[in-house]
Amino acid sequence: MESHSFIAKIEGHGNLHLDWDKNKVWLEVDEGERLFEAMVVGRPAKDLPWITSRICGVCPIAHNLAALKALEGAFGVKLSGSSLLLRRLLLAAQILQSHTLHLYFLALPDYLGIDSGINLAKTHPEHFKNALKLKQVSDLLAESVGGRGIHPTATAIGGFKKVPSKNQLIGLKKEVERLLEPAEKTAKLFSSLKYPEVKTDLVFLAQTSSIDYDVYDVKHISSSRGALGKISDYKKLITEEIRAYSTAKFGKYSGKIVTVGALSRLNLSGNLLSGKAKELYKSAGVDFQNPYHNNLAQSVEIYAFIQKVIELLNQLTKEGIDEEKTIVFSEDIKPSRKVRGIGALEAPRGGLYYEIGIDAEGLITDCNIITPTVQNLPSMEESAKAVISQQKNVGKDSVEELLEMLIRAYDPCITCSVH
Amino acid sequence: MKNKPKIAIFDFTDCEGCEVALVSLREKLVEIATETEIVNWRLAQKKADDGPYDIVLIEGTPITQTEIDTLKFLRGQTKILVGLGSCATLAGIPGIIDKEARSGWYEKIYGKDYKPRGIDALPLSAYVLVDYSIHGCPVDKSELLRVIQELLAGKTPKNPGYSVCFECKLAGNPCRLLDKKPCLGPITAGGCGAICIKGGSPCYGCFGIRQDAQVDNLVMTLRKFSDPAKIENYFSMFLKKTPEYKKLFDNKKERNGKP
């Protein structure tokens, strides 16, 4: 793998290099720097969520909402009840979109011995049908609440510029209920796959709410080894280092290598799942020492978030949306003094952090973004070392294949990691 | 049997959202993949055949030297080269950063010792001849499908001649300009269905400036209710690397904030 070919079927341009003799592995990230933290400086606050959603086309909603949370923190804006429900719905839709794309389109082909997810249409039409249904309805949810499936148009500081009608919500509920079956089949399919065997000692990290399996309304940073951290201390806790071979920084938590994403959320908050999602989790047999099981964790999460979306839609249709409090137009918001805000949420791939400074004129003075994949890069290298040392007997080609599958299992978002 | 056309899809520096839009075509993508041979697409498959190709779709901005070299190489490998999305067709969001501002920001974000890869964010057309541009941030799914189908049918696709306003009226949206809210709809090429305005946002021109657009007239209208900084803010979202932007604003001060 010492060539310039990039790993296929991951988001962005990364290449894993290895030195067999020295048992050394390094993940070269070669995505060009777009400098998002620079491009927003000097621009009005309203531009932040609009511009930074473009960091990533796979998880744009996560960036859009984290940016809005940071701005709302800075301006001291509280969301109405309906706005909060709609935000949670939108982020759940994002996780469904992203997990479906990754599991069926990027990860599954490895396990079925085919190259492209598009070929599933011919080789495994039943799986393909489930994938399309999940994709179609999660895109529809994102479009209905966010205004567009990729790069939202309807979100705004303090709420939304436009909200779905009650009839639309009722229609969505019917559609989402039809996902329960394909979602269950997805969890069972990924439980039935034969994952490569590797034992690692992963330290898990996730933002948690400790009340339920929530990803939007998070309260603290939890680690599988150590005390709860405050989100406001994110910068002290998560440090980033520069490596010559990578345009992405490498992140550590309290100086330690950690793992973020679906497997971490399940490890730290899995006990908060309820109903059928809990059953599927229990019967899935997730091995938390095996990073390949992140795929399995994502499949359980698909079911869990469909359940959550149904709950949210029930609540929204029952209570109705208070449009007066939800719809805001705040293009020219000016705080009249310097303010700062932090916005954090669990994106599909793990904890995402935004910090923003705004001057009295409402212009952005500085911006800091830490993405999930930045936190996962060191863990990917560690797990790759474990694969090499534990699978030495299978031959170089097979190990290289296992390593590509490993990187894919982490579902890295390379363009996010560079931004 | 006639050989199927060979399609290759490449991505440079960007968010990959336009490729996600391509995947969101779902059944239609399967049809395209059946009618053609997708011989190279890193995001979706390992199969990565060398050229020559019939159609190359390129998403993203060629920002590093490797990407610029690859782009020039690919031009020689394909009959038809298509830009996919605003990063490729306009430089779009990455184009917000000026070339001169980059070094200061590299130092601030990555430190003194870092060797940057990115040179400048420019559209594909800054380096090679582009046969067709599918604009949009992200591209519109039906527009994407239309262009691909026309290309496969051997037609030369054309950009819609009308502006976003035309589609905005059809969608029944209230006019932002009449409400004294800035909007670049009148000068922007249609094809998006006015999706941003439908969601309550303005048009920032991600489909590019349409032919024969009366840019000066729109600026005169905007001046009636917006200050110059606000007008520039709108034009600098996706259009910063266009000749129109340069003509309107380029004699001014430093625009990317200081690190």
Side-chain angles (χ1 to χ4, degrees):
Chain A
M1 290 216 288
E2 276 295 14
S3 68
H4 264 282
S5 63
F6 298 107
I7 302 173
K9 291 179 274 182
I10 61 169
E11 200 282 347
H13 301 84
N15 199 356
L16 193 72
H17 297 273
L18 45 128
D19 184 328
W20 285 93
D21 304 326
K22 292 182 188 148
N23 196 22
K24 261 181 77 177
V25 179
W26 64 103
L27 186 59
E28 177 197 7
V29 172
D30 204 26
E31 194 78 37
E33 314 89 343
R34 285 169 295 167
L35 304 170
F36 274 89
E37 287 147 325
M39 67 174 81
V40 296
V41 171
R43 300 185 74 97
K46 58 123 181 130
D47 284 358
L48 183 74
W50 184 267
I51 290 178
T52 62
S53 91
R54 270 82 182 170
I55 286 176
C56 179
V58 180
C59 56
I61 293 169
H63 283 279
N64 184 267
L65 296 184
L68 286 168
K69 281 185 95 171
L71 292 174
E72 284 154 2
F75 294 132
V77 175
K78 285 252 178 297
L79 291 187
S80 73
S82 319
S83 288
L84 187 59
L85 292 174
L86 286 167
R87 290 275 180 91
R88 292 173 66 188
L89 185 60
L90 191 53
L91 188 57
Q94 170 78 98
I95 292 191
L96 293 174
Q97 284 178 302
S98 178
H99 281 6
T100 302
L101 180 76
H102 175 250
L103 286 179
Y104 280 102
F105 202 65
L106 308 181
L108 186 61
D110 280 335
Y111 293 92
L112 301 180
I114 57 174
D115 185 17
S116 162
I118 304 172
N119 295 345
L120 283 174
K122 275 187 230 138
T123 59
H124 298 78
E126 194 58 31
H127 300 332
F128 194 69
K129 207 181 85 195
N130 291 334
L132 289 194
K133 191 73 201 157
L134 288 165
K135 178 92 181 85
Q136 181 223 328
V137 178
S138 55
D139 281 351
L140 179 71
L141 269 173
E143 282 160 24
S144 309
V145 183
R148 180 165 52 198
I150 307 162
H151 303 325
T153 61
T155 55
I157 301 167
F160 287 82
K161 292 170 182 166
K162 201 179 171 185
V163 291
S165 68
K166 189 165 182 174
N167 277 343
Q168 238 180 317
L169 293 172
I170 292 168
L172 282 174
K173 206 186 127 204
K174 278 190 196 140
E175 290 279 350
V176 178
E177 278 168 349
R178 281 191 217 125
L179 291 186
L180 287 168
E181 194 193 321
E184 186 177 343
K185 285 181 175 161
T186 301
K188 291 196 166 145
L189 168 65
F190 280 84
S191 302
S192 73
L193 300 179
K194 198 174 171 313
Y195 295 95
E197 276 175 31
V198 59
K199 284 242 173 290
T200 57
D201 187 22
L202 303 175
V203 178
F204 295 112
L205 192 74
Q207 298 167 13
T208 51
S209 85
S210 53
I211 304 161
D212 66 353
Y213 202 91
D214 199 8
V215 281
Y216 185 82
D217 216 5
V218 287
K219 299 282 182 267
H220 21 246
I221 309 173
S222 297
S223 157
S224 59
R225 229 165 285 167
L228 282 185
K230 282 188 196 154
I231 284 172
S232 54
D233 288 337
Y234 86 98
K235 214 173 185 172
K236 265 188 276 170
L237 293 167
I238 304 169
T239 48
E240 296 179 298
E241 56 185 63
I242 316 289
R243 300 199 183 166
Y245 55 81
S246 169
T247 54
K249 297 174 183 177
F250 278 56
K252 288 185 180 167
Y253 184 78
S254 299
K256 301 225 164 48
I257 293 176
V258 291
T259 304
V260 298
L263 194 59
S264 304
R265 285 192 290 266
L266 218 48
N267 181 271
L268 293 160
S269 304
N271 58 330
L272 297 171
L273 291 174
S274 59
K276 184 96 184 176
K278 190 178 185 174
E279 276 173 43
L280 287 169
Y281 168 42
K282 293 288 170 208
S283 61
V286 181
D287 175 0
F288 288 104
Q289 288 185 304
N290 184 347
Y292 290 96
H293 277 220
N294 189 48
N295 289 325
L296 183 51
Q298 287 178 319
S299 75
V300 172
E301 278 199 340
I302 285 191
Y303 197 95
F305 283 105
I306 287 169
Q307 237 177 229
K308 179 163 294 270
V309 165
I310 294 172
E311 270 170 42
L312 291 165
L313 285 168
N314 275 338
Q315 223 174 321
L316 278 161
T317 44
K318 209 168 88 191
E319 292 166 14
I321 295 176
D322 184 352
E323 282 203 25
E324 236 167 72
K325 288 182 187 159
T326 307
I327 298 193
V328 288
F329 291 96
S330 45
E331 285 219 340
D332 297 314
I333 190 161
K334 288 190 177 89
S336 75
R337 63 185 172 87
K338 279 188 185 176
V339 289
R340 302 193 68 75
I342 292 173
L345 51 77
E346 277 287 318
R349 289 158 190 76
L352 174 63
Y353 301 84
Y354 269 64
E355 184 171 1
I356 192 81
I358 314 272
D359 69 13
E361 294 300 305
L363 301 178
I364 296 165
T365 56
D366 59 276
C367 171
N368 186 37
I369 300 165
I370 297 183
T371 65
T373 296
V374 158
Q375 299 160 69
N376 257 345
L377 289 172
S379 172
M380 286 182 224
E381 288 185 343
E382 282 300 294
S383 294
K385 278 187 217 162
V387 169
I388 294 170
S389 66
Q390 292 170 32
Q391 299 275 357
K392 270 223 153 104
N393 49 343
V394 300
K396 276 190 187 181
D397 285 354
S398 303
V399 170
E400 284 180 358
E401 205 167 299
L402 288 175
L403 289 174
E404 278 201 17
M405 280 169 78
L406 173 80
I407 301 303
R408 226 168 269 140
Y410 272 91
D411 188 12
C413 202
I414 301 285
T415 65
C416 275
S417 70
V418 180
H419 57 271
Chain B
M1 203 178 91
K2 209 178 109 208
N3 282 343
K4 290 179 176 177
K6 286 187 177 172
I7 298 190
I9 303 162
F10 293 90
D11 47 27
F12 296 147
T13 294
D14 68 349
C15 82
E16 302 192 358
C18 296
E19 285 175 274
V20 175
L22 190 56
V23 177
S24 300
L25 292 177
R26 303 192 309 271
E27 295 87 344
K28 299 284 179 199
L29 174 63
V30 178
E31 281 173 25
I32 293 167
T34 315
E35 287 168 34
T36 66
E37 210 186 328
I38 301 180
V39 292
N40 198 324
W41 188 8
R42 186 202 53 78
L43 182 65
Q45 64 196 36
K46 270 194 203 172
K47 182 183 168 71
D49 291 355
D50 290 335
Y53 311 111
D54 294 301
I55 302 171
V56 166
L57 295 174
I58 301 180
E59 187 204 50
T61 321
I63 204 170
T64 67
Q65 192 58 51
T66 315
E67 288 170 335
I68 295 167
D69 295 343
T70 305
L71 171 62
K72 290 178 181 168
F73 177 74
L74 287 172
R75 178 65 271 189
Q77 294 290 306
T78 182
K79 289 180 198 152
I80 300 167
L81 190 145
V82 179
L84 181 65
S86 300
C87 292
T89 63
L90 299 166
I93 293 284
I96 291 175
I97 294 280
D98 294 326
K99 190 180 185 185
E100 308 73 51
R102 295 188 83 90
S103 60
W105 282 106
Y106 279 131
E107 195 176 319
K108 160 94 178 162
I109 295 171
Y110 288 97
K112 271 201 170 69
D113 300 328
Y114 179 74
K115 285 200 184 77
R117 312 318 194 255
I119 299 164
D120 193 12
L122 296 174
L124 303 180
S125 59
Y127 303 100
V128 297
L129 179 79
V130 176
D131 298 303
Y132 189 78
S133 294
I134 309 177
H135 293 292
C137 185
V139 292
D140 177 81
K141 282 187 276 182
S142 42
E143 182 70 0
L144 176 63
L145 191 61
R146 174 186 74 85
V147 174
I148 293 177
Q149 283 170 341
E150 290 190 5
L151 285 170
L152 292 178
K155 284 194 207 168
T156 308
K158 286 197 172 68
N159 276 318
Y162 46 80
S163 68
V164 170
C165 294
F166 180 77
E167 294 177 324
C168 198
K169 283 274 168 294
L170 284 179
N173 300 319
C175 176
R176 287 179 57 95
L177 291 171
L178 291 176
D179 276 348
K180 297 191 166 44
K181 289 178 199 156
C183 189
L184 301 189
I187 60 162
T188 303
C192 59
I195 189 165
C196 292
I197 301 138
K198 231 187 265 177
S201 289
C203 172
Y204 289 112
C206 74
F207 268 58
I209 296 177
R210 78 184 164 93
Q211 228 184 337
D212 305 323
Q214 298 184 25
V215 179
D216 292 338
N217 280 347
L218 175 67
V219 171
M220 258 164 48
T221 304
L222 292 174
R223 275 191 194 135
K224 289 179 190 160
F225 52 85
S226 313
D227 60 45
K230 194 164 193 178
I231 298 172
E232 187 185 348
N233 171 262
Y234 273 64
F235 274 88
S236 67
M237 190 65 87
F238 294 107
L239 303 171
K240 205 161 172 200
K241 297 282 163 71
T242 60
E244 289 84 355
Y245 178 90
K246 281 206 169 62
K247 197 177 143 218
L248 286 170
F249 306 105
D250 223 21
N251 51 356
K252 289 214 278 167
K253 54 181 181 16
E254 172 87 28
R255 262 173 314 271
N256 292 128
K258 289 240 188 278

